[in-house]
Amino acid sequence: MTVLNVVVGITGGIAAYKAVAVVRALVLAGHDVHVVVTEGALRFVGKPTLEAISRNTVHSDLYEGVAEVRHVALGQAADLIIIAPATANSMAKLAAGLADDLLGNTVLASTAPVVIAPAMHTEMWQNAATVANVALLRARGVHVVGPAVGQLTGADSGPGRMSEPDDIVAAALAVLAPKDLLGQRIVVTAGGTREAIDPVRFIGNRSSGRQGVAIAVAAAARGADVTLIGANLEVRPPASAAIRLVEVSSTLELQSAVTDAAADAEVVIMAAAVADYRPERVAGSKIKKESQGDTLRLDLVRNPDILRALAVGRREGQVIIGFAAETEADREALLELGRAKIARKGADYLVLNTVGWSEGFGTEGNAVIILDAAGDIVGEASGSKASVAGPILDLLT
Ligand code: CTP
């Protein structure tokens, strides 16, 4: 992956505390992050926090580092500038091209794309001055993420809340992503299916959907036309990503949704953790202990193997990618399981990862080995789920 030099500008609004999470997400994705704060921002969040999280010196003063011409150096070196939060005042200054602080100089001295995440009270966002400034910035090519609608600092709520950190990062990285999947229709399944036992209980698994959602977001950023079939997702794709989301719960619902979507897709990526069995009968009302005694027997029936059916029925040229979640820790034994599985499934590629009580499912990071249909290793990746998505999508270019 390409390591980007990212300048994160933080201006003086209460949402500055959430900018820490923006910096963190960029660092976890492997980027080199340089934080530039305004005096106002430092009233809301401390330099030590930002230095620890960004792993770089945090700059605020225009008159420090003069010998290294810092007021332009940071901007010249940047591949991407993200300003989060962008207050009404900072947007007015950007629109006017003011350079009375380090952030203003950095932006003016840079040719990198600029992404801003406005945050302010609704009245300020809707004020004619702000509306005109935003329009001017957009016309100059500045990318505006949000603001979201929701609870503001006081009792009020409305448009003006800063977008969530992950949304800001995804939208910002999408600006720079190569559009090498433009026009490809890609279906991604994510999450874990649930099989009802009665109206209040189910059999499920611990998949959060993070890896599948990260693949969908990265594919959309690279220009693909993405349908995400989500089964009980704990995380959602950012509103800014152009992704069609179809929500399902059970394996049979997932099967029907993915079969429909696959009909006119070039690629299907089955990242969902699919239940292999479901209760033969679903009780119409809550199962009571009194009617069961000390043991409860559930008869389970096999669910269809969706991946295998997709692989068997695939059209000429359609690419089918499966996942294999295994608890095997030994690499050679894991590879053997993977090779047997891809042969059984008939998929074009299999993304192999280990899962366990604290690995894989529900975690932020992942480590995978990618096998082709012959069982040969064609890729390996580890890191954040977003950075693991890259090599998987590279299979399609
Ligand atoms: N899968 C599927 N339909 C199922 C079970 C799994 O489409 N009924 C898909 C998963 O989405 C994944 C791949 O098959 O892409 C492998 O899933 P996994 O649970 O690792 O394999 P199983 O076939 O269930 O084999 P086992 O549980 O016996 O290891």
Side-chain angles (χ1 to χ4, degrees), residues 26-351:
L26 288 163
V27 170
L28 285 180
H31 301 299
D32 184 21
V33 182
H34 299 271
V35 177
V36 178
V37 287
T38 63
E39 287 301 318
L42 289 177
R43 291 174 182 257
F44 294 100
V45 58
K47 258 191 194 180
T49 306
L50 293 165
E51 294 197 332
I53 299 291
S54 72
R55 304 174 190 170
N56 277 317
T57 308
V58 170
H59 305 286
S60 59
D61 191 339
L62 190 51
Y63 299 102
E64 261 174 21
V66 176
E68 61 202 64
V69 210
R70 186 174 298 146
H71 73 291
V72 291
L74 286 163
Q76 286 170 336
D79 299 309
L80 174 67
I81 297 179
I82 302 173
I83 303 178
T87 58
N89 183 54
S90 65
M91 290 196 308
K93 286 168 61 169
L94 279 178
L98 293 188
D100 63 346
D101 60 11
L102 186 61
L103 183 58
N105 280 267
T106 301
V107 174
L108 283 187
S110 181
T111 54
V114 178
V115 177
I116 63 172
M120 67 203 70
H121 281 276
T122 303
E123 295 80 355
M124 296 171 79
W125 173 248
Q126 290 173 345
N127 185 285
T130 308
V131 170
N133 288 332
V134 173
L136 184 58
L137 290 170
R138 281 191 208 272
R140 284 193 200 135
V142 170
H143 303 266
V144 182
V145 186
V149 178
Q151 173 96 54
L152 302 171
T153 322
D156 48 347
S157 72
R161 187 184 155 88
M162 189 172 86
S163 291
E164 290 309 312
D166 286 347
D167 294 6
I168 297 168
V169 171
L173 294 179
V175 169
L176 285 186
K179 302 295 177 238
D180 55 355
L181 298 177
L182 200 66
Q184 289 210 43
R185 285 164 299 181
I186 300 183
V187 178
V188 183
T189 67
T193 58
R194 290 180 181 174
E195 305 299 346
I197 297 171
D198 69 15
V200 293
R201 303 185 179 95
F202 59 83
I203 298 173
N205 60 69
R206 298 198 298 116
S207 171
S208 64
R210 278 190 179 79
Q211 184 62 73
V213 169
I215 292 169
V217 169
R222 288 167 69 164
D225 173 347
V226 181
T227 301
L228 173 65
I229 298 172
N232 310 296
L233 297 178
E234 271 174 37
V235 290
R236 255 144 238 283
S240 58
I243 291 174
R244 210 171 302 107
L245 176 62
V246 180
E247 301 215 54
V248 297
S249 186
S250 68
T251 299
L252 295 180
E253 286 168 16
L254 185 123
Q255 180 189 35
S256 147
V258 75
T259 309
D260 279 358
D264 59 0
E266 283 86 33
V267 182
V268 183
I269 304 178
M270 282 289 299
V274 179
D276 291 323
Y277 295 89
R278 66 178 185 278
E280 188 170 27
R281 276 174 306 279
V282 180
S285 56
K286 191 178 166 200
I287 298 173
K288 301 299 254 179
K289 284 190 289 300
E290 292 74 46
S291 61
Q292 299 300 324
D294 285 345
T295 52
L296 167 66
R297 179 182 294 278
L298 284 176
D299 286 319
L300 305 177
V301 291
R302 272 287 272 276
N303 268 328
D305 188 328
I306 303 171
L307 178 63
R308 182 162 162 70
L310 287 169
V312 168
R314 69 154 113 36
R315 293 193 317 274
E316 177 80 29
Q318 195 177 38
V319 178
I320 310 288
I321 303 180
F323 269 66
E326 305 289 355
T327 49
E328 177 59 63
D330 177 69
R331 184 180 162 94
E332 278 314 310
L334 176 70
L335 286 170
E336 276 321 302
L337 285 174
R339 290 187 178 117
K341 191 165 283 185
I342 193 162
R344 212 164 56 231
K345 301 276 187 177
D348 297 290
Y349 299 100
L350 189 77
V351 181

